[in-house]
Amino acid sequence: MQLLRDIAYVRSGDKGDVVSVGVIARTPADYPVLRASLTPERIKALFGDWVRGAVEIYPMDNIEAVVVVMRRAL
């Protein structure tokens, strides 16, 4: 089983009660795995009560990255 750290670089930030996480595939072959794995439902399940608002996923195909935005998360 591959872990996220094995296939991606991650960078996070916050503003107010919104957390944004950039997830960048290490290789082009890893990008489809990220796209399939990072869903709002999975993110909410992972973070549980820490995320009380919506989770939005923004694919960035041109740079093989995904931005995850978690609202009401701080």
Side-chain angles (χ1 to χ4, degrees), residues 37-58:
S37 300
L38 297 176
T39 66
E41 298 78 20
R42 285 185 171 176
I43 299 296
K44 280 198 89 127
L46 177 66
F47 286 96
D49 292 339
W50 286 1
V51 179
R52 295 176 314 227
V55 175
E56 302 155 7
I57 307 292
Y58 297 98

Side-chain angles (χ1 to χ4, degrees), residues 15-65:
K15 186 137 190 141
D17 67 349
V18 178
V19 174
S20 61
V21 180
V23 185
I24 306 162
R26 289 184 183 266
T27 70
D30 294 328
Y31 184 59
V33 176
L34 291 181
R35 290 283 313 267
S37 300
L38 297 176
T39 66
E41 298 78 20
R42 285 185 171 176
I43 299 296
K44 280 198 89 127
L46 177 66
F47 286 96
D49 292 339
W50 286 1
V51 179
R52 295 176 314 227
V55 175
E56 302 155 7
I57 307 292
Y58 297 98
M60 302 175 72
D61 297 337
N62 61 324
I63 61 170
E64 297 164 337

Side-chain angles (χ1 to χ4, degrees), residues 1-17:
M1 178 170 124
Q2 286 184 314
L3 300 175
L4 183 60
R5 70 174 178 232
D6 297 330
I7 65 169
Y9 301 98
V10 178
R11 178 83 168 110
S12 65
D14 63 83
K15 186 137 190 141
D17 67 349

